[in-house]
Amino acid sequence: MRIGMPLNYSGGFKETVDELALYEKAGLDIVYVPEAYSFDAVSQLGFIAARTERLEIASGILQIYTRTPTLTAMTAAGLDYVSNGRFTLGIGASGPQVIEGFHGVPYHAPLGRTREIVEICRQVWRRERVQHQGKHYNIPLPAEQGTGLGKPLKLINHPVRERIPIMIAAIGPKNVAMVAEIAEAWEPIFYLPEKAGEVWGESLAAGKAKRDPSLPELDVVAQAPLAIGDGTEELRELIRPHIALYVGGMGAKGKNFYNNLARRYGYEAEAEKIQDLYLSGKKEEAAAAVPQDLLEKTCLIGSEGYVRERLAAFKESGVTTLNVTPLAGTAEERTKLIEKVKNLAAEV
């Protein structure tokens, strides 16, 4: 398994980038920069590209509603250029709260839009004159919808690669099937290895049955907070509020994708309780209601033996890239954690 690391979008970015050279030497393979309603990911990815040599970089994720498909393609080509071919384009739909609440754009047809965006991006990278008449995007814009002066254009620059890897964040059955069909990588959230096959196996199989043989094997990118050593188990408690935020607060009743995922994992009563508590303002109680089993099995926090067992579970379930968040107080300690988990992953 490759070992990656997500960056925190809420602060400390420059300090973390200062440490990336250490992490790179420790064996970190790839770093992911998110984009919520935060600083944009693109400027930060360019900064990282200039400060690293071997480390792969990825958006994790750019929201599909916030840029035109061709701008997304141009941005990916630019980041791949400044990083000398080290960029992965991570995209995803996000949710109505962010897309409509922060960007003022209607949140609809995420699957159809994603599929068309992927098609358009690859057309741009091949330096074809972009012509796409779809349900959601029309390029060039038809005369009746504009001035009638638009004409097909191709990218001026020659991209480093005509096939930049695309990673798509997805957890719904139809969305996951689409990802397995068209993308190079898939990023789920709150990945629970023991339940992955039950929850996503059918969707992955359906998508892979239609997969273009020119695509590589699907890279499965899971995430887990990391702490190794006796007595680290108490650090798991730090993760409770994060899970509660998503399961309880990222969406209204019946419109929360993460709550639906917890239910599909088998935590129906717990998911409902977390959401009720969170939406009524009782965030601490919501965090306390996160099932211990879910907390433990989505983390890499515990003794070396425990972490080795969890790494084996992730690998056995199909994970090929493990995105870890090292929980330690200093850069030196975080570097040691990355080095340790890299070695452990190589052993399992």
Side-chain angles (χ1 to χ4, degrees), residues 141-223:
L141 195 66
E144 62 272 16
Q145 295 180 27
T147 64
L149 300 176
K151 63 178 182 179
L153 298 171
K154 65 180 179 180
L155 189 69
I156 292 172
N157 312 86
H158 288 260
V160 174
R161 295 179 289 176
E162 71 168 26
R163 196 63 175 265
I164 296 169
I166 295 176
M167 177 186 77
I168 302 176
I171 52 177
K174 292 181 180 178
N175 210 357
V176 170
M178 178 193 65
V179 174
E181 177 188 348
I182 68 172
E184 279 85 358
W186 166 49
E187 183 187 32
I189 193 171
F190 303 129
Y191 186 91
L192 204 166
E194 287 81 359
K195 295 283 187 177
E198 179 184 333
V199 172
W200 289 306
E202 237 178 78
S203 297
L204 289 169
K208 287 178 180 179
K210 301 177 184 178
R211 190 172 179 83
D212 186 334
S214 69
L215 286 168
E217 285 294 314
L218 185 68
D219 181 21
V220 179
V221 183
Q223 302 178 31

Side-chain angles (χ1 to χ4, degrees), residues 219-233:
D219 181 21
V220 179
V221 183
Q223 302 178 31
L226 172 70
I228 304 173
D230 296 329
T232 58
E233 291 82 3

Side-chain angles (χ1 to χ4, degrees), residues 159-321:
V160 174
R161 295 179 289 176
E162 71 168 26
R163 196 63 175 265
I164 296 169
I166 295 176
M167 177 186 77
I168 302 176
I171 52 177
K174 292 181 180 178
N175 210 357
V176 170
M178 178 193 65
V179 174
E181 177 188 348
I182 68 172
E184 279 85 358
W186 166 49
E187 183 187 32
I189 193 171
F190 303 129
Y191 186 91
L192 204 166
E194 287 81 359
K195 295 283 187 177
E198 179 184 333
V199 172
W200 289 306
E202 237 178 78
S203 297
L204 289 169
K208 287 178 180 179
K210 301 177 184 178
R211 190 172 179 83
D212 186 334
S214 69
L215 286 168
E217 285 294 314
L218 185 68
D219 181 21
V220 179
V221 183
Q223 302 178 31
L226 172 70
I228 304 173
D230 296 329
T232 58
E233 291 82 3
E234 62 189 31
L235 292 175
R236 293 173 190 160
E237 296 302 307
L238 299 175
I239 312 305
R240 285 185 179 276
H242 178 68
I243 297 177
L245 167 64
Y246 278 78
V247 174
M250 286 291 193
K253 278 272 192 179
K255 299 291 183 181
N256 184 322
F257 309 131
Y258 313 103
N259 190 278
N260 291 343
L261 176 60
R263 291 171 184 270
R264 292 170 67 202
Y265 276 157
Y267 305 110
E268 291 191 18
E270 294 91 336
E272 185 169 358
K273 182 178 181 180
I274 292 167
Q275 188 174 53
D276 287 342
L277 288 167
Y278 204 97
L279 294 179
S280 64
K282 299 176 181 177
K283 296 181 181 180
E284 290 185 8
E285 291 93 330
V290 171
Q292 188 68 25
D293 188 57
L294 175 63
L295 183 66
E296 291 179 6
K297 290 184 176 178
T298 54
C299 288
L300 288 171
I301 299 176
S303 67
E304 182 176 318
Y306 177 83
V307 171
R308 183 183 284 108
E309 288 176 7
R310 296 312 301 153
L311 285 168
F314 276 100
K315 183 177 181 179
E316 186 178 348
S317 72
V319 172
T320 48
T321 298

Side-chain angles (χ1 to χ4, degrees), residues 64-65 93 106-116 135-137:
I64 63 171
Y65 297 92
Y107 184 93
H108 59 80
L111 271 73
R113 287 180 180 277
T114 300
R115 185 179 288 273
E116 290 189 35
K135 186 175 181 180
H136 307 290
Y137 300 104

